[in-house]
Amino acid sequence: MDLPRYDPIAAGFHWLAALLVIALIVLGIGGKAVGEPLGMSGMETIFLHKSLGMTVFAITVLRLLWRFGHHPPPLPANTPAWQRRASRWAHLLLYTLMLALPVLGYLLSSAGPYPLEWFGTPLPKLPVSKEMGEVAASAHVAGGLTMAALVVLHIAAALWHQFVQRDRLIGRMRIG
């Protein structure tokens, strides 16, 4: 018996956000070393990181708006309560970080000397003090590391469901 699945729009938002968040983590942690083999300078890598981060923010807002009208399929009835709670908290934290990290990045970029752009389109900077920019930078790094850990945990949980528990839960997020 097939489990109920997410609708194709929700699944598409999931996979697009997943790819972009992984790219952001790689760019954020790897920085210049990631860009060099691609022929990118350190600044180009940072600009790409910023643009992708703002894109994730927009996708997350659209995803949440979609989710309000299209509820996710229920978990299987035999899912233990602790797994339901863990899933709920992990998803809440992932969504929070997908919204908060770009805002923090925008704040720290507003306080910095470099232009603020989205894929080459200039954006206005907010009136942010150097001190607030430093706080935003620290929170952005801590949040980014937390996001990286959550992504690893999310992937590990999906693989555990697929290959250990064999409950086919991962199939709920199939597109097509």
Side-chain angles (χ1 to χ4, degrees):
M1 179 172 94
D2 283 336
L3 293 173
R5 292 173 37 192
Y6 282 83
D7 67 77
I9 302 293
F13 278 140
H14 171 271
W15 290 112
L16 180 57
L19 291 172
L20 292 176
V21 165
I22 290 169
L24 282 163
I25 292 167
V26 169
L27 287 169
I29 293 173
K32 186 178 175 184
V34 172
E36 283 179 358
L38 302 173
M40 297 171 64
S41 70
M43 287 307 298
E44 289 170 324
T45 304
I46 290 169
F47 287 144
L48 178 59
H49 180 84
K50 291 177 183 183
S51 293
L52 291 178
M54 287 184 263
T55 303
V56 165
F57 180 86
I59 289 168
T60 303
V61 169
L62 292 172
R63 188 176 179 186
L64 286 169
L65 290 171
W66 183 262
R67 187 170 177 157
F68 288 134
H70 302 84
H71 298 290
L75 289 167
N78 63 344
T79 303
W82 73 268
Q83 284 183 12
R84 289 176 185 275
R85 281 191 304 276
S87 174
R88 192 174 311 118
W89 280 103
H91 283 93
L92 178 64
L93 190 49
L94 283 167
Y95 277 107
T96 300
L97 289 170
M98 286 188 290
L99 294 171
L101 287 171
V103 170
L104 291 166
Y106 203 98
L107 290 173
L108 75 92
S109 293
S110 290
Y114 301 105
L116 188 53
E117 301 175 344
W118 181 72
F119 293 111
T121 302
L123 298 173
K125 287 187 169 191
L126 300 173
V128 175
S129 68
K130 181 181 175 194
E131 293 77 18
M132 180 178 252
E134 289 170 359
V135 170
S138 295
H140 187 78
V141 169
L145 293 172
T146 302
M147 175 66 89
L150 275 171
V151 167
V152 168
L153 180 65
H154 186 71
I155 293 169
L159 293 172
W160 181 78
H161 275 283
Q162 185 68 21
F163 298 110
V164 176
Q165 198 160 322
R166 297 183 186 267
D167 59 11
R168 300 184 329 264
L169 200 60
I170 199 170
R172 294 170 5 124
M173 197 51 78
R174 276 194 337 255
I175 298 177

